[in-house]
């Protein structure tokens, strides 16, 4: 029996011009990476995928090659040109993989390059279904009532039974022999009308059953510009880290030998980050006003990082948890307090970023910022804190985009209300058990540092 060869075919032939984008949709940025990178990474990281083939429009091939090279996606074995129609891209993939059929039982998993949040579960279920079926589709149940319209009168001509309806997604997967045979018949049909690959099998190989795998709502397609905002939020939800203690301990062992600088590391969350990282044998340098470092001074930050790099030879991670919170109406604030809030919370974040870049580029490391739940909505009594934390979020996302090509990751942690000296000073004593512990936030933050994510805002919530 021939060995199975699972080839993911990423269909990236679209140009995006009809949807209002100024570039192909697969090249738009999502959470610091192109949409295409998210797709490739999903298949690259799945152990059941043996190879990846990308079918691109000819205008984008060089850009796709750059994405693959910079991302070090070793499973990508070919990048080929497709056609102006989707079926032409599918045919190109079928032709490009035919040579494997002599020695392997080839299975092609076709996926839209503009569905960036394809999950491991879906990929695994599709491949498992191919053990019993030669054609597989991914669908979700239709939740809306579907109306059949009379085009002449613009009135309802029918309402189909919703329980029988599904919305199609991708991947669509086939044995090579099945999809090649279906298209072979289709190409001889003078009335052939463009459809998706499962539609070709359904019409031209009606005896072939197409198995349906459950998709999920997160596996959405980028169609319009506003979809990017939805996908970005879904990215944030998906990047929530597990709370299993054993996993935390095992993962944090990767901190051993890493050089970590923590601004704001003398108290609160920053101190917990420093303490935990030290326990896991990282080389930790703590900076704060009590150590003579003011992040509102670019000179202070620059000199400290230079000293660390000279002593340790590198800097892998930079954490900025420094902040001040003045809980007072803006019009009643002293000008010194106004200046301090802006200089520490925002200018300080800019200074840390500016001074860190060269070191993090050399180490392919990460900058980690902190925001507050108040960044989403300005709140009375701490307008400067809320607005500066919103600025830090935008700074994080912009830098993740700017620095991605240089291999520098930038993320931000957004903890719920946390028991820290800064919060106690502003709010006094609060009900026991109502706040996150600084230790819990610190553990999650260190897991973010060790992740491959960039451009993400990680919400840390209190577990019930």
């Amino acid at each position: 029996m021939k060995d199975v060869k699972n080839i993911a075919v990423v269909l990236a032939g679209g140009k995006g011009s009809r949807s209002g984008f100024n570039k192909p949709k697969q090249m738009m940025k999502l959470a610091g990476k192109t949409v295409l990178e998210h797709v490739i990474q999903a298949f690259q990281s799945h152990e059941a995928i043996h190879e990846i083939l990308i079918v691109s429009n000819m205008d984008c091939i060089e850009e796709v090659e750059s994405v693959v090279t910079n991302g070090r996606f070793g499973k990508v074995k070919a990048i080929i040109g497709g056609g102006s129609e989707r079926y032409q891209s599918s045919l190109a993939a079928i032709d490009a993989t035919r040579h494997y059929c002599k020695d392997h039982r080839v299975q092609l998993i076709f996926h839209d390059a503009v569905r960036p949040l394809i999950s491991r579960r879906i990929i695994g279920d599709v491949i498992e279904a191919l053990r019993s079926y030669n054609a597989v589709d991914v669908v979700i149940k239709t939740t809306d009532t579907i109306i059949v319209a009379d085009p002449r009168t613009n009135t309802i001509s029918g309402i189909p039974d919703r329980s029988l309806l599904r919305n199609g997604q991708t991947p669509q997967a086939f044995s090579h022999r099945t999809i090649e045979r279906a298209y072979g018949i289709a190409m001889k049909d003078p009335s052939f009308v463009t459809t998706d690959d499962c539609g070709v099998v359904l019409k031209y190989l009606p005896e072939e059953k197409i198995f349906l795998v459950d998709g999920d709502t997160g596996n959405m397609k980028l169609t319009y510009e506003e979809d990017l905002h939805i996908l970005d939020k879904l990215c944030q939800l998906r990047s929530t880290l597990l709370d299993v203690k054993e996993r935390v301990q095992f993962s944090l062992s990767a901190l051993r030998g890493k050089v970590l600088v923590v601004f704001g590391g003398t108290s609160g969350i920053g101190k917990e980050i420093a303490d935990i990282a030290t326990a896991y044998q990282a080389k930790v340098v703590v900076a704060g006003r009590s150590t003579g470092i003011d992040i509102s001074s670019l000179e202070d930050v620059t000199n400290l990082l230079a000293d660390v790099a000279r002593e340790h030879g590198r800097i892998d991670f930079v954490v900025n948890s420094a902040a001040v919170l003045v809980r007072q109406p803006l019009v009643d604030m002293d000008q010194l307090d106004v200046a301090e809030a802006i200089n520490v919370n925002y200018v300080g974040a800019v200074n840390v970023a500016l001074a860190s870049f060269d070191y993090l580029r050399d180490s392919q490391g990460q900058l980690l910022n902190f925001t507050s739940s108040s960044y989403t909505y300005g709140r009375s009594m701490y307008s400067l804190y809320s607005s500066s934390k919103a600025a830090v979020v935008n700074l994080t996302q912009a830098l993740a985009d700017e620095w991605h090509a240089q291999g520098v990751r930038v993320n931000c942690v957004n903890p719920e209300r946390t028991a820290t000296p800064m919060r106690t000073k502003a709010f006094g004593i609060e009900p026991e058990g109502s706040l996150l512990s600084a230790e819990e936030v610190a553990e999650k933050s260190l897991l973010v540092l060790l992740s491959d994510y960039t451009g993400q805002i990680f919400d840390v919530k209190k577990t019930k």
Side-chain angles (χ1 to χ4, degrees):
M1 181 178 291
K2 294 180 180 179
D3 292 336
V4 172
K5 190 175 187 69
N6 294 318
I7 302 176
V9 178
V10 179
L11 299 172
K15 295 186 177 181
S17 55
R18 287 177 293 182
S19 301
F21 292 94
N22 59 6
K23 64 173 72 173
K25 291 181 286 187
Q26 61 272 20
M27 293 302 170
M28 298 298 294
K29 288 291 183 69
L30 173 67
K33 300 179 182 180
T34 63
V35 169
L36 178 62
E37 283 176 272
H38 287 278
V39 172
I40 299 172
Q41 182 60 50
F43 289 106
Q44 171 78 25
S45 62
H46 202 290
E47 62 280 356
I49 297 296
H50 303 117
E51 190 170 308
I52 300 171
L53 169 68
I54 301 174
V55 186
S56 171
N57 74 62
M58 297 303 295
D59 295 337
C60 279
I61 283 187
E62 287 189 11
E63 194 172 357
V64 172
E65 289 173 344
S66 178
V67 165
V68 172
T69 301
N70 292 334
R72 301 181 68 180
F73 296 119
K75 288 185 180 180
V76 178
K77 301 302 181 185
I79 301 167
I80 63 174
S84 58
E85 299 290 339
R86 179 196 170 94
Y87 80 90
Q88 294 172 327
S89 294
S90 296
L91 282 171
I94 293 167
D95 291 341
T97 54
R98 185 178 294 112
H99 66 283
Y100 286 125
C101 294
K102 180 180 178 181
D103 300 315
H104 303 275
R105 182 160 63 88
V106 177
Q107 299 183 150
L108 300 180
I109 298 94
F110 293 91
H111 187 65
D112 294 332
V114 289
R115 289 187 186 270
L117 301 186
I118 174 69
S119 68
R120 283 183 57 82
R121 193 272 303 168
I122 291 177
I123 296 172
D125 287 355
V126 166
I127 292 170
E128 180 63 26
L130 286 172
R131 293 166 62 92
S132 303
Y133 293 85
N134 291 319
V136 178
D137 200 358
V138 173
V139 300
I140 58 173
K141 291 182 178 179
T142 299
T143 56
D144 294 329
T145 298
I146 303 300
I147 302 298
V148 179
D150 183 327
R152 288 176 178 262
T153 62
N154 194 34
T155 57
I156 296 176
S157 64
I159 301 177
D161 183 352
R162 186 170 62 186
S163 67
L164 303 177
L165 302 178
R166 303 291 185 271
N167 293 339
Q169 298 186 334
T170 63
Q172 295 184 342
F174 313 89
S175 71
H176 192 287
R177 179 176 178 273
T178 296
I179 192 64
E180 183 176 32
R181 192 157 61 94
Y183 269 112
I185 299 170
M187 291 299 97
K188 295 175 184 177
D189 181 0
S191 61
F192 172 73
V193 177
T194 301
T195 182
D196 67 355
D197 301 309
C198 278
V200 174
V201 172
L202 181 66
K203 181 173 182 179
Y204 295 103
L205 296 178
E207 73 283 0
E208 195 72 66
K209 292 293 185 181
I210 304 172
F211 185 76
L212 301 181
V213 164
D214 288 336
D216 65 54
T217 54
N219 184 29
M220 67 175 286
K221 185 177 182 180
L222 173 58
T223 303
Y224 303 107
E225 289 184 88
E226 54 266 31
D227 293 337
L228 272 175
H229 300 290
I230 300 172
L231 285 165
D232 187 70
K233 190 60 183 177
L234 288 171
C235 270
Q236 293 178 28
L237 294 173
R238 289 199 171 198
S239 52
T240 300
L241 298 164
L242 295 178
D243 292 324
V244 179
K245 192 70 175 178
E246 292 77 10
R247 180 187 168 191
V248 170
Q249 293 173 341
F250 177 77
S251 298
L252 293 184
S253 65
L255 287 167
R256 182 177 181 179
K258 299 293 186 181
V259 180
L260 168 62
V261 180
V262 185
F263 291 96
T266 58
S267 68
I269 295 170
K271 183 178 185 302
E272 291 293 337
I273 288 174
D275 290 347
I276 294 170
T278 299
Y280 281 92
Q281 298 180 281
K283 299 172 183 178
V284 181
V285 177
V286 169
R289 284 181 174 173
S290 62
T291 68
I293 303 298
D294 181 356
I295 67 168
S296 64
S297 165
L298 180 58
E299 182 179 8
D300 278 7
V301 176
T302 301
N303 289 341
L304 174 79
L305 293 178
D307 290 343
V308 174
R310 275 193 296 270
E311 180 179 353
H312 297 289
R314 61 187 288 128
I315 298 175
D316 297 292
F317 305 120
V318 176
V319 174
N320 177 28
S321 64
V324 294
L325 169 58
V326 179
R327 193 164 177 257
Q328 191 176 12
L330 178 61
V331 295
D332 294 333
M333 288 179 65
D334 183 276
Q335 279 302 303
L336 291 177
D337 288 338
V338 170
E340 182 184 42
I342 295 171
N343 288 333
V344 172
N345 294 350
Y346 183 62
V347 175
V350 173
N351 288 341
V352 170
L354 283 170
S356 300
F357 174 72
D358 286 337
Y359 303 108
L360 296 177
R361 179 186 57 191
D362 292 343
S363 67
Q364 300 289 278
Q366 182 179 156
L367 170 65
L368 184 65
N369 292 314
F370 279 79
T371 186
S372 157
S373 57
S374 66
Y375 89 87
T376 59
Y377 186 82
R379 296 178 185 173
S380 173
M381 298 293 287
Y382 41 113
S383 56
L384 291 183
Y385 186 75
S386 295
S387 57
S388 62
K389 288 302 183 179
V392 168
V393 168
N394 280 270
L395 179 67
T396 296
Q397 294 170 327
L399 292 181
D401 197 350
E402 290 179 16
W403 294 358
H404 177 58
Q406 285 77 36
V408 181
R409 288 161 288 130
V410 188
N411 288 298
C412 190
V413 171
N414 175 34
E416 284 188 334
R417 298 176 304 154
T418 306
T420 64
M422 182 181 75
R423 183 170 183 89
T424 299
K425 180 181 177 182
F427 292 91
I429 298 174
E430 297 179 84
E432 185 177 352
S434 64
L435 303 177
L436 276 167
S437 71
E439 179 183 9
E440 183 178 359
V441 177
E443 283 185 343
K444 298 290 182 62
S445 301
L446 288 166
L447 287 173
V448 172
L449 281 182
L450 294 170
S451 75
D452 291 328
Y453 291 108
T454 190
Q456 293 291 284
I457 315 302
F458 287 85
D459 295 331
V460 180
K461 299 180 181 295
K462 185 173 175 58
T463 54
K464 296 180 181 179

